[in-house]
Amino acid sequence: MGEDGKIRVFLLDDHEVVRRGVRELLAGEDDMEVVGEAATAADALARIPAGRPDVAVLDVRLPDGSGVEVCREIRSRDESVKCLMLTSFADDEALFDAIVAGASGYVLKAIRGTELLAAVRDVAAGKSLLDPVATARVLERLRDGGGPREDDELAELTPQERRILELIGEGLTNRAIGERLHLAEKTIKNYVSGLLSKLGMQRRSQAAAYVARIQAEKR
């Protein structure tokens, strides 16, 4: 949040009309402000750090790449930035990629203005806003993807690492996990590095997707 308590939002969409519409929608709210916007992935990656947004509203399809790639890159630099994917099409492939990239939400451009405002507020508050029906399809895909069984992989983890893995699955940052477990953020970072190594993963977003698959298998 900004010093005035407002939710700082960055907009990425290659259509000026869409950006203008969303910007005007957000500008009409007392608790929000637009701190920057871009029409390309490259421009967004250059501008987002300076804007220090709480939420980045990212178009999935862009002329020079994907909003999902922007989400992955931004989240790898600064996990405090929440990403809300905005797209014209219900695309399971893009949704799958968005979940793995660490996006907090995925909504269609057909969404009503009031619903988009609520989505931005929810994402800023740390809530996950992924369409239940679409997410269920992705979890089904994760479950059908096979791979080593849960017990084989988790056997390598200590109880503390398993707890931290669960919290990663809930979308918590290292700082938030540290506060929950009463440990220093640096200590959590070391735990995360260790458990990712044991699971053969490089990014925490992969761990989050792994947790989603385990939960799906238990249903």
Side-chain angles (χ1 to χ4, degrees):
M1 303 287 180
E3 294 181 359
D4 54 5
K6 291 187 177 182
I7 299 170
R8 299 166 61 83
V9 184
F10 188 95
L11 305 176
L12 169 59
D13 197 294
D14 59 328
H15 294 99
E16 181 184 359
V17 172
V18 174
R19 292 200 311 276
R20 180 180 299 177
V22 175
R23 181 175 67 242
E24 292 179 354
L25 177 68
L26 299 178
E29 300 300 302
D30 294 335
D31 61 340
M32 298 183 190
E33 66 173 321
V34 176
V35 295
E37 58 182 80
T40 65
D43 204 11
L45 289 172
R47 295 185 179 187
I48 287 178
R52 295 182 297 108
D54 300 301
V55 178
V57 179
L58 310 173
D59 188 12
V60 170
R61 289 177 173 79
L62 298 165
D64 63 335
S66 164
V68 172
E69 295 169 359
V70 174
C71 172
R72 182 180 296 110
E73 181 63 27
I74 291 301
R75 293 277 298 169
S76 69
R77 296 180 190 174
D78 184 357
E79 292 182 354
S80 69
V81 180
K82 310 298 184 190
C83 295
L84 178 63
M85 311 310 298
L86 191 62
T87 182
S88 301
F89 309 98
D91 182 342
D92 281 5
E93 188 69 29
L95 174 56
F96 176 83
D97 291 342
I99 291 175
V100 174
S104 297
Y106 185 103
V107 295
L108 297 178
K109 290 182 179 179
I111 191 173
R112 294 180 180 179
T114 54
E115 293 173 338
L116 179 58
L117 292 173
V120 171
R121 291 188 178 102
D122 283 346
V123 168
K127 298 179 182 178
S128 177
L129 191 77
L130 293 163
D131 177 68
V133 176
T135 303
R137 291 198 300 269
V138 171
L139 294 178
E140 183 73 23
R141 173 179 163 181
L142 284 167
R143 184 173 61 209
D144 292 343
R149 295 298 302 172
E150 166 198 347
D151 291 343
D152 296 335
E153 294 178 329
L154 293 185
E156 295 291 324
L157 304 184
T158 66
Q160 187 75 297
E161 287 173 334
R162 291 191 189 198
R163 177 60 179 149
I164 291 172
L165 178 61
E166 291 174 1
L167 295 175
I168 289 175
E170 292 178 16
L172 272 63
T173 63
N174 286 349
R175 178 177 298 178
I177 293 174
E179 292 175 352
R180 180 79 65 87
L181 300 180
H182 306 292
L183 293 171
E185 184 177 356
K186 185 176 181 180
T187 300
I188 298 300
K189 184 176 181 180
N190 291 335
Y191 270 118
V192 172
S193 296
L195 71 87
L196 289 179
S197 177
K198 289 180 180 180
L199 294 174
M201 300 174 182
Q202 296 179 332
R203 297 179 179 274
R204 63 189 294 122
S205 55
Q206 293 174 290
Y210 173 70
V211 173
R213 176 166 66 83
I214 291 175
Q215 291 174 342
E217 289 177 344
K218 290 181 176 179
R219 290 175 183 171

